[in-house]
Amino acid sequence: MERILSGIKPTGQLTLGNYIGALRHFKDFQDKGEVFIFIADLHALTLPIDPEVLRNNTRDIAAFYLASGLDPKKTTIFLQSSVSAHAELNAIAQNYLYMGELSRMTQFKDKSAKMNDKEIGLGLFAYPVLMAADIVLYDADTIPVGEDQLQHIELCRDLVHRMNHKYGTKDHDLLVMPKGSVSKVGKRIMSLSDPTKKMSKSDPKGDIFLKDDMKTIRKKIMSAVTDMEANVYYDPENKPGVSNLLTIYAALNDISIEEAAEHFKGCTRYGDFKKEVADTVERELAPFKARYEEIIASGEYIEVLKDGAKRASEVANKTLKRVQNAVGLLTLE
Ligand code: ATP
Ligand code: LTN
């Protein structure tokens, strides 16, 4: 049976980009295979973060997972930090990925460029090692993510290739080779205030947060940066703002960009166009946000995470043992 795994790190408030690029798709895999969805809280420590903010973000993501339609009976939902095998496999995996390749990671280059050399932690540099450990621990085949994470998955594939080559046998690979899965529409939602940049939760300039109230969300859409042409069509290079809004519209209506562009063909008033995009966003997010509020109030996510940790640990510990054994660590049972 196909294994699907993904995670989101609780570094900040989730954005519409996280929702469209990742979160919204997780539930679609529930009937296709065995799904593991976790909160990458250890990854959130790779940039400075206040402990209370981290705890709150973590609770929020747990509630958003449930609100998005993930069913804890079908999907194992858990915290990365509550399954110690992640950190243990990380300690092994770090010896099979190299400094040169880690320093070429776009995410590392982007994030470290904004920091003082003295503040750049080793964890930020080694981020993809832990991410690779997250993936291989569950023998995961398919990793649904936004486009920006594909480079990390490629590195994970290099790790799998290397370890299988060194420790696999003719009949048995040590690790399962994963592949990234990006949605056709909305794999990279851009910032509404600067549509040449990715909408990102740790760079929150005027972007749509899932926790914003509907009025604020509508206001942000109505004031999204567009252009002077007053004509709606898809051209990400010359019309990044309009193209981004078209993408949001298409993704949330489950139609292609071409269909969305066709729908707005001849529309020369950006106000009307934006209003329709805002209606679409509201239709999708209003019930989702209401479910989120209920889940936070009931605290039901706590039991879900506890149960998830048990289920995830069982699977992860088996892989960890297999790897420990393969690399030559003496097991005493
Ligand atoms: P940060 O700003 O802290 O790096 P982020 O907003 O990029 O965070 P992540 O936690 O790195 O979010 O990503 C969670 C998931 O959401 C990943 O699968 C990522 O690819 C996806 N994602 C993030 N931003 C976008 C976006 N703008 N468009 C589409 N998918 C996105
Ligand atoms: N790096 C991812 C979060 C993440 C992840 C993973 C995603 C950590 N480990 C394993 C898929 C599989 C991100 O959201 N930026």
Side-chain angles (χ1 to χ4, degrees), residues 57-89:
N57 290 345
T58 303
R59 289 185 195 106
D60 278 345
I61 297 189
F64 280 135
Y65 279 165
L66 293 172
S68 76
L70 284 179
D71 174 355
K73 288 197 201 79
K74 296 183 186 163
T75 294
T76 304
I77 303 172
F78 63 100
L79 289 178
Q80 185 184 34
S81 63
S82 60
V83 180
S84 58
H86 289 250
E88 293 180 71
L89 188 61

Side-chain angles (χ1 to χ4, degrees), residues 21-309:
L23 182 55
R24 185 170 186 265
H25 301 288
F26 293 165
K27 67 171 183 312
D28 301 339
F29 290 92
Q30 287 183 136
D31 299 314
K32 291 191 188 143
E34 210 177 335
V35 185
F36 292 81
I37 300 291
F38 69 102
I39 302 171
D41 52 356
L42 292 172
H43 274 115
L45 294 173
T46 58
L47 289 174
I49 187 162
D50 177 83
E52 208 41 51
V53 171
L54 174 56
R55 266 188 286 273
N56 283 331
N57 290 345
T58 303
R59 289 185 195 106
D60 278 345
I61 297 189
F64 280 135
Y65 279 165
L66 293 172
S68 76
L70 284 179
D71 174 355
K73 288 197 201 79
K74 296 183 186 163
T75 294
T76 304
I77 303 172
F78 63 100
L79 289 178
Q80 185 184 34
S81 63
S82 60
V83 180
S84 58
H86 289 250
E88 293 180 71
L89 188 61
N90 178 62
I92 298 176
Q94 65 186 347
N95 301 300
Y96 304 87
L97 286 170
Y98 305 121
M99 306 279 284
E101 50 198 10
L102 290 170
S103 59
R104 285 195 290 276
M105 292 294 108
T106 308
Q107 181 176 295
F108 174 71
K109 286 197 282 190
D110 287 354
K111 302 226 155 159
S112 58
K114 291 184 205 144
M115 299 168 78
N116 226 315
D117 272 2
K118 281 197 201 133
E119 295 165 356
I120 304 169
L122 181 57
L124 184 65
F125 184 69
Y127 182 109
V129 182
L130 179 58
M131 180 160 162
D134 299 337
I135 293 171
V136 299
L137 270 179
Y138 298 89
D139 292 333
D141 308 282
T142 305
I143 320 297
V145 284
E147 193 175 43
D148 61 306
Q149 293 301 313
L150 288 178
Q151 199 185 25
H152 291 157
I153 294 174
E154 236 4 86
L155 206 59
C156 177
R157 289 171 60 84
D158 291 340
L159 174 87
V160 169
H161 186 74
R162 262 169 226 164
M163 293 196 79
N164 281 346
H165 185 70
K166 191 152 184 193
Y167 303 109
T169 62
K170 222 164 50 243
D171 305 320
H172 285 291
D173 280 339
L174 177 64
L175 302 172
V176 170
M177 185 62 81
K179 60 177 184 319
S181 158
V182 294
S183 59
K184 244 187 174 161
V185 180
K187 57 182 188 254
R188 190 174 166 82
I189 300 297
M190 309 308 275
S191 159
L192 294 189
S193 56
D194 178 357
T196 60
K197 284 211 197 101
K198 186 189 96 158
M199 188 184 280
S200 157
K201 62 173 134 65
S202 55
D203 191 10
K205 246 183 53 202
D207 283 319
I208 295 185
F209 297 106
L210 299 180
K211 279 179 80 175
D212 283 343
D213 57 64
M214 263 348 289
K215 212 169 135 203
T216 308
I217 292 178
R218 293 194 74 98
K219 216 159 122 197
K220 287 181 177 176
I221 295 172
M222 293 312 288
S223 52
V225 169
T226 47
D227 52 64
M228 304 295 282
E229 197 193 341
N231 197 358
V232 178
Y233 60 95
Y234 188 73
D235 177 354
E237 208 146 290
N238 300 307
K239 295 170 75 70
V242 167
S243 303
N244 191 37
L245 290 172
L246 270 175
T247 305
I248 292 172
Y249 181 87
L252 294 181
N253 281 303
D254 293 312
I255 58 174
S256 65
I257 302 265
E258 292 74 25
E259 286 169 310
E262 187 58 34
H263 176 78
F264 289 106
K265 204 171 167 187
C267 173
T268 53
R269 287 161 59 155
Y270 284 167
D272 295 347
F273 167 51
K274 286 174 171 176
K275 187 177 166 302
E276 239 187 281
V277 175
D279 290 344
T280 292
V281 172
E282 179 161 1
R283 206 180 318 120
E284 172 104 5
L285 288 193
F288 167 75
K289 285 162 64 57
R291 279 201 299 281
Y292 156 82
E293 296 292 349
E294 281 167 26
I295 294 161
I296 284 287
S298 74
E300 63 198 86
Y301 60 88
I302 297 173
E303 282 309 312
V304 170
L305 292 177
K306 280 190 191 163
D307 181 52

Side-chain angles (χ1 to χ4, degrees), residues 6-22:
S6 196
I8 298 181
K9 57 184 184 309
T11 40
Q13 298 282 317
L14 288 201
T15 67
L16 186 65
N18 298 129
Y19 181 80
I20 292 178

